[in-house]
Amino acid sequence: MKSLRFGILASLVLAAACGSGGSGDGGGDGDGDGDGDGSPDAGDPPPAEGFRITTPDIAIQPGEEVTYCYYTTLPTTREMGVKEWSSIMTPGSHHLILFFAQGASKPDGTIERDCEGLGGGGLQVPYWAYSAQTPTQVTPMPSGVGMKVPAGQKVYVQMHYLNTSDQVINAHVQIDGEAYAAAETYTPAAAFVTYSAGFTVPANGTGEAGNSCSIAAGSKFFLMSTHAHKRATLTQVTDGTTMVFESDNWEHPGATTWAAEPFFQFASNKLTYRCEYDNTGNPNAVPEGSSAATNEMCMAVGYFFPAPNGPRFCLNGFVVGG
């Protein structure tokens, strides 16, 4: 993920907002998945207001772990405010991340293997727009809050596949963005995404990473989570001495959510995140990077509003965007 050293702008959660296991004392918790009556179904029609992305089937070999990216353009003719994201992943799909491309992108229909996802290079970097790590997931915005999506937005979907079976599987994902009607008004939301670059977990040892990022006064957060790889034993987000989010499950960290006013505001005007790692028994050092097999990450990802200027990204404590 070397291109992150030049910046990415991010917009929406890794909800790594997935599964279960997240906790926090910020006023509520939830997993953001679609296990209730509102779960998306593959037979459901696309949103009447909004759009749908369906990636082509990709054959994943037995035992294979691989990442693909699918590039396309949203079939929209007006700017939309997404009030709810939802997704379905077929078996073999480990996680998905939807990115909004800035500037030039690859031709529609391109499928790229071993893509870094958070790439882009220079300042033409993508916005992290939505992600999921559960087979079905529904991520609504608070009432009257939405994410701006320009007409004809170029996007790509990063898909991490892991086939633990002894059969070839054909995997794909479906993402719906349900939007407000054209005449409706809403407060814009975006994501605040942090990233620690340049750290290494020592061979046969333990380590940690993280940093602190300034938060603009008045920013109201309604979801917070983290993202790391398999050597992570603990991830945390704090506001001074207040624990905002904590998880010991790297694969399904969960998310802390706030459903109504006053939501969560960082009293210290600073978000501090940290990750702990255990690399004992491994003779190789593990550098920061995009591979779940050979690299580590330390990220905090959260939704906030109002965000009239879009998402914010914090790289090693330096905030850009928004």
Side-chain angles (χ1 to χ4, degrees):
M1 201 167 290
K2 295 180 180 177
S3 55
L4 272 166
R5 292 176 175 82
F6 302 97
I8 72 168
L9 232 42
S11 148
L12 218 77
V13 129
L14 185 69
C18 44
S20 58
S23 63
D25 57 8
D29 54 51
D31 58 14
D33 66 18
D35 293 335
D37 293 339
S39 298
D41 185 275
D44 291 342
E49 293 281 353
F51 52 85
R52 169 170 289 175
I53 303 168
T54 304
T55 67
D57 277 329
I58 300 174
I60 311 299
Q61 301 302 312
E64 184 177 26
E65 181 175 9
V66 63
T67 299
Y68 283 93
C69 286
Y70 170 70
Y71 298 80
T72 190
T73 302
L74 295 182
T76 55
T77 57
R78 67 171 177 89
E79 180 182 278
M80 292 185 168
V82 171
K83 61 182 179 181
E84 181 176 277
W85 295 99
S86 61
S87 59
I88 299 171
M89 300 193 297
T90 56
S93 305
H94 179 262
H95 77 247
L96 68 86
I97 308 173
L98 172 65
F99 292 95
F100 290 174
Q102 293 193 83
S105 187
K106 299 182 186 297
D108 285 2
T110 298
I111 298 176
E112 182 180 32
R113 182 186 170 100
D114 297 327
C115 55
E116 289 190 340
L118 291 171
L123 295 177
Q124 296 300 310
V125 291
Y127 293 172
W128 184 327
Y130 170 73
S131 72
Q133 283 183 257
T134 52
T136 63
Q137 180 168 293
V138 179
T139 303
M141 307 287 150
S143 177
V145 174
M147 176 177 288
K148 286 186 178 180
V149 181
Q153 174 68 52
K154 290 186 175 298
V155 302
Y156 61 97
V157 184
Q158 184 200 61
M159 302 160 286
H160 181 201
Y161 294 118
L162 176 60
N163 183 359
T164 58
S165 74
D166 58 1
Q167 302 291 324
V168 175
I169 58 175
N170 292 308
H172 70 268
V173 304
Q174 175 182 297
I175 303 170
D176 284 348
E178 183 179 351
Y180 290 99
E184 293 182 282
T185 60
Y186 60 91
T187 300
F192 194 107
V193 177
T194 75
Y195 192 86
S196 287
F199 71 88
T200 298
V201 184
N204 198 35
T206 60
E208 64 178 69
N211 219 306
S212 293
C213 304
S214 297
I215 301 292
S219 296
K220 300 180 180 182
F221 284 76
F222 57 93
L223 189 150
M224 182 61 65
S225 188
T226 55
H227 182 60
H229 288 165
K230 63 184 179 182
R231 296 158 196 86
T233 57
L234 181 69
T235 59
Q236 296 177 326
V237 177
T238 57
D239 173 17
T241 59
T242 300
M243 185 66 67
V244 180
F245 174 81
E246 183 175 40
S247 178
D248 59 4
N249 186 334
W250 72 272
E251 189 170 19
H252 299 297
T256 297
T257 61
W258 300 267
E261 292 286 0
F263 297 98
F264 185 83
Q265 299 186 56
F266 282 82
S268 64
N269 290 327
K270 188 164 288 189
L271 179 159
T272 299
Y273 67 104
R274 63 185 297 269
C275 306
E276 296 181 1
Y277 307 96
D278 185 354
N279 194 35
T280 55
N282 182 4
N284 301 311
V286 181
E288 160 267 319
S290 60
S291 170
T294 60
N295 299 126
E296 264 304 335
M297 286 186 178
C298 186
M299 301 178 68
V301 192
Y303 283 112
F304 75 100
F305 72 95
N309 299 316
R312 298 174 187 146
F313 176 68
C314 180
L315 175 63
N316 286 355
F318 180 74
V319 179
V320 295

